[in-house]
Amino acid sequence: MNGSDGGPPAEGKFFRILSLDGSGIRGVFPAAFLARLEEHLEHPIGRYFDLIAGTSTGGIIAIGLGLGLSAGDILKLYVEQGPAIFDQEHGAVENWVRQKLRGMAHLFVTKHSSEPLRHALEGVLGRRKIGESRTRLVIPAWHPVLERVYIYKTAHHPRLETDYKQPAIDAAMATAAAPTFLKPHMTESAVELVDGGVWANNPIGVAAIEAIGMLGWPGDRLKILSIGTINEPGRNQLESVVAISRCAHFPATLSALLPTGLVRSSAHCLAAA
């Protein structure tokens, strides 16, 4: 999406928006939830939304969905590489001790190296640009030097002329660079950015403002699915989190968001194993 698509909305049309919260490894829950929904769709779930907003870990998921990745592939990334990225590869007791030590150390140094995250993202995003997204994107970040909001956007309005040329990995690394957790991300354009969660950990407001203020969509024609996260899981708990995500009222979610005929099969709430 590297050209503007502004203009008045079609009369009677509903606009479907996906909003994804931030919170590190906890992103496994929204990824698993979306992957479960996706099982009942004909295409990757990102194609069914008109706008996707995501902060931090939610921003990584949003960018992946926009670039055509399936929620299942994104979930695989979290399950297989999340523990290494977020330092959850140890036993429960050692993880707890390391977490407490990092909590004291955060006053002096960042908790984690950003290299595992960059390596993982390079594997799935490659060198693609934000403008290659098939869905409108809004990805919050923060400029700590100028102390102001920085939002990556696709070119979904004539005023948006630059972000779509930027590497998708820059947006993903920037929105996920949580202060004291990862070092600030220096973009290809030499702009130092940190996690959008500094000001918009739940980006639903950012998404609604973009939809109404920038795109001119009527507020009463918006359907927003906002997905939060749960308590931080350890490596041995990831499978349980995935199982919990399978117990949700999928028929209501699907029917509220998707036009008739897009659902491939009936959905059922599965009890967590």
Side-chain angles (χ1 to χ4, degrees):
M1 183 173 290
N2 56 11
S4 64
D5 62 349
E11 184 175 354
K13 174 181 172 62
F14 279 98
F15 299 93
R16 298 179 298 277
I17 299 173
L18 177 61
S19 173
L20 300 166
D21 289 9
S23 217
I25 188 62
R26 301 176 192 179
V28 70
F29 177 77
F33 182 86
L34 291 169
R36 181 66 175 120
L37 286 178
E38 194 173 70
E39 292 176 9
H40 304 277
L41 303 172
E42 295 182 359
H43 306 288
I45 197 167
R47 298 190 191 181
Y48 296 91
F49 292 94
D50 300 296
L51 174 68
I52 303 177
T55 299
S56 191
T57 194
I60 292 174
I61 297 172
I63 293 167
L65 293 176
L67 290 174
L69 296 179
S70 70
D73 286 340
I74 296 171
L75 174 60
K76 183 179 179 181
L77 171 70
Y78 275 87
V79 172
E80 294 183 354
Q81 300 191 54
I85 293 171
F86 300 104
D87 198 21
Q88 292 286 322
E89 292 190 295
H90 316 281
V93 174
E94 186 177 349
N95 276 339
W96 182 86
V97 172
R98 291 166 68 90
Q99 183 181 37
K100 296 304 178 182
L101 291 174
R102 290 195 303 265
M104 292 184 289
H106 84 276
L107 296 175
F108 309 101
V109 296
T110 55
K111 295 181 180 181
H112 300 278
S113 166
S114 58
E115 286 310 305
L117 176 59
R118 172 179 282 280
H119 178 74
L121 291 177
E122 286 176 343
V124 294
L125 301 180
R127 300 178 61 84
R128 284 179 284 184
K129 306 292 186 181
I130 294 173
E132 295 179 51
S133 176
R134 300 180 179 181
T135 306
R136 302 171 186 87
L137 294 177
V138 178
I139 310 296
W142 176 257
H143 197 310
V145 177
L146 299 181
E147 296 187 341
R148 71 180 187 188
V149 169
Y150 194 105
I151 307 177
Y152 282 98
K153 302 179 182 182
T154 48
H156 48 255
H157 188 278
R159 289 168 50 190
L160 306 176
E161 301 177 342
T162 58
D163 285 350
Y164 76 90
K165 304 174 186 176
Q166 303 302 312
I169 194 170
D170 263 355
M173 291 292 295
T175 193
T180 75
F181 192 87
L182 296 174
K183 65 180 181 180
H185 176 65
M186 184 63 70
T187 71
E188 189 177 88
S189 303
V191 178
E192 186 177 85
L193 300 173
V194 299
D195 193 340
V198 169
W199 67 279
N201 196 56
N202 179 345
I204 189 171
V206 178
I209 291 172
E210 189 73 12
I212 298 171
M214 180 69 78
L215 292 166
W217 298 346
D220 61 355
R221 308 303 293 178
L222 304 182
K223 290 188 175 184
I224 303 177
L225 172 60
S226 178
I227 306 178
T229 57
I230 61 176
N231 291 336
E232 183 172 353
R235 182 184 182 121
N236 296 330
Q237 296 174 301
L238 288 178
E239 290 185 4
S240 297
V241 172
V242 173
I244 290 171
S245 73
R246 298 176 70 85
C247 189
H249 197 48
F250 292 110
T253 303
L254 289 168
S255 62
L257 286 168
L258 307 179
T260 303
L262 290 182
V263 181
R264 186 175 59 202
S265 61
S266 60
H268 301 278
C269 177
L270 303 181

